[in-house]
Amino acid sequence: AMGEPIKCGEIVRLTHMGTGKNLHSHGLPAPLSRKNSEVSGFGDEGEGDTGDNWKLECLHRREGEGNAENEHWDSTMLVRF
């Protein structure tokens, strides 16, 4: 089933379907790649804390130039959280 469109810049929670745990950032360096942050599963069924909030950053479209801010995320965009 298709969900609701997500606007670039929105805050989202990413929940694992099997466990109901949220993707959670600890603000600590990851043990294997120190330039990235450590993440884990946290909370239950969408409940958790602010470490479970991720901002969708739309960088630009693959096939074009320019900023994708104020648009909805689609499959042609490069994004990061």
Side-chain angles (χ1 to χ4, degrees):
M2 184 175 251
E4 296 293 318
I6 302 171
K7 190 173 181 179
C8 299
E10 272 192 73
I11 303 297
V12 297
R13 286 201 170 176
L14 305 171
T15 304
H16 187 269
M17 298 292 292
T19 64
K21 303 287 185 193
N22 302 319
L23 184 64
H24 180 85
S25 175
H26 297 278
L28 302 171
L32 297 178
S33 57
R34 297 264 178 219
K35 66 179 181 176
N36 296 313
S37 296
E38 181 178 72
V39 295
S40 65
F42 182 79
D44 286 305
E45 303 300 326
E47 296 295 321
D49 64 22
T50 57
D52 302 343
N53 297 337
W54 298 86
K55 182 178 180 179
L56 174 64
E57 295 181 12
C58 300
L59 305 177
H60 57 79
R61 294 188 175 280
R62 288 187 186 126
E63 288 114 22
E65 297 285 329
N67 191 336
E69 208 56 40
N70 297 320
E71 293 185 45
H72 288 91
W73 178 16
D74 69 39
S75 62
T76 67
M77 293 178 178
L78 295 175
V79 299
R80 69 178 170 201
F81 291 93

